[in-house]
Amino acid sequence: MVLGGAGNARLAERLSELTAGDAVAGIGCGPGTAARCAARAGATVVRVDPALVMLRLARFLTRRSAHAVRYVEGSAEALPLPDSSVSVAWSIASVHHWVGLDAGLHEARRVLKPSSCHSALPQDRV
């Protein structure tokens, strides 16, 4: 898990067209590989996870990074983030842990800035 996530992190960065200045909400932090990747690209990053052990591991692995990443306790269904506060929200290999898929998607939509939501997605399906 610690060594194998770099490819997924780079793919998420590329698919989200991440740029310096983006604010990223990572739903499910795992070992923090994607968070460090996004921070190296110049994004500000907050990763949310309900598992304290994963938060501790991610913080430990990120401690030497020159890039600031915040790791906070929380769940996909109740993100501890303000409305419209991020330009990118991703969940890499953790959606299967969500208790409520609809609630998690609603929260992701809530924290995304309106200009960040893909216009092709119907508002009632995001």
Side-chain angles (χ1 to χ4, degrees), residues 8-28 34-35 37-39 41-48 79 81-92 105 107-118:
N8 287 340
R10 286 189 300 273
L11 178 62
E13 179 184 358
R14 195 167 52 251
L15 291 175
S16 62
E17 299 176 353
L18 194 67
T19 61
D22 273 324
V24 178
I27 307 167
C37 182
T44 57
V45 184
V46 60
R47 296 301 299 246
V48 178
L79 294 171
L81 302 170
D83 293 355
S84 304
S85 59
V86 300
S87 51
V88 175
W90 59 28
S91 181
I92 302 170
L105 291 173
E107 280 293 279
R109 172 80 168 131
R110 179 186 65 77
V111 301
L112 278 168
K113 294 176 184 175
S115 61
S116 302
C117 296
H118 194 285

Side-chain angles (χ1 to χ4, degrees), residues 48-108:
V48 178
D49 202 288
L52 294 178
V53 67
M54 292 311 299
L55 292 168
R56 282 193 299 269
L57 175 62
R59 286 180 185 125
F60 175 78
L61 293 172
T62 305
R63 75 191 185 288
R64 294 183 189 200
S65 173
H67 309 287
V69 178
R70 281 189 326 136
Y71 294 98
V72 297
E73 185 178 6
S75 69
E77 300 81 13
L79 294 171
L81 302 170
D83 293 355
S84 304
S85 59
V86 300
S87 51
V88 175
W90 59 28
S91 181
I92 302 170
S94 65
V95 172
H96 62 282
H97 292 293
W98 295 9
V99 174
L101 182 60
D102 287 343
L105 291 173
H106 182 275
E107 280 293 279

